[in-house]
């Protein structure tokens, strides 16, 4: 059975990590940190945008800043032609 994460990677998704700083509802001068990680597609990041829209709509702590890191874990491999065959016995 192939995992859902592997299937997403084969479709071009990469691991996206967002460092989300937000203000506490009762103490606006204090910042809190939330780390979010999911498979998403760069550079549009539709999954992250959907999450941030949910945050702004449903969570009382207003966003201060979001820092994003993205890495495709599966990429086309590099290959080179080899002249000859070596047999080991």
């Amino acid at each position: 059975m192939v995992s859902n994460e592997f299937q997403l990677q084969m479709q071009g998704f990469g691991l996206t990590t967002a460092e989300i700083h937000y203000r506490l509802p009762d103490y606006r001068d204090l910042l809190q940190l939330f780390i979010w990680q999911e498979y998403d597609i760069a550079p549009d990041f539709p999954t992250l945008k959907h999450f941030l829209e949910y945050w702004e709509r449903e969570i009382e702590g207003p966003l201060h800043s979001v820092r994003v890191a993205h890495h495709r874990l599966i990429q086309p491999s590099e290959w080179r032609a080899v002249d000859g065959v070596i047999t080991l016995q």
Side-chain angles (χ1 to χ4, degrees):
M1 186 72 188
V2 177
S3 71
N4 186 41
E5 290 82 11
F6 181 73
Q7 290 176 351
L8 288 173
Q9 291 175 49
M10 294 303 293
Q11 295 171 11
F13 284 70
L15 187 60
T16 302
T17 304
E19 183 180 277
I20 301 169
H21 291 266
Y22 64 97
R23 296 190 184 281
L24 294 176
D26 297 334
Y27 302 97
R28 299 292 174 138
D29 294 335
L30 296 178
L31 289 176
Q32 188 74 6
L33 174 65
F34 180 80
I35 301 294
W36 176 90
Q37 196 170 51
E38 188 64 59
Y39 288 94
D40 209 349
I41 298 177
D44 296 329
F45 300 109
T47 307
L48 176 59
K49 285 180 182 176
H50 184 264
F51 176 75
L52 293 176
E53 288 168 0
Y54 168 80
W55 184 295
E56 290 179 332
R57 187 177 62 250
E58 301 291 334
I59 298 177
E60 292 182 23
L63 296 173
H64 175 270
S65 61
V66 178
R67 197 163 72 174
V68 178
H70 177 80
H71 183 69
R72 286 192 61 182
L73 301 175
I74 297 178
Q75 300 176 4
S77 63
E78 294 182 14
W79 66 277
R80 60 187 169 122
V82 176
D83 265 351
V85 175
I86 299 173
T87 304
L88 299 175
Q89 296 185 23

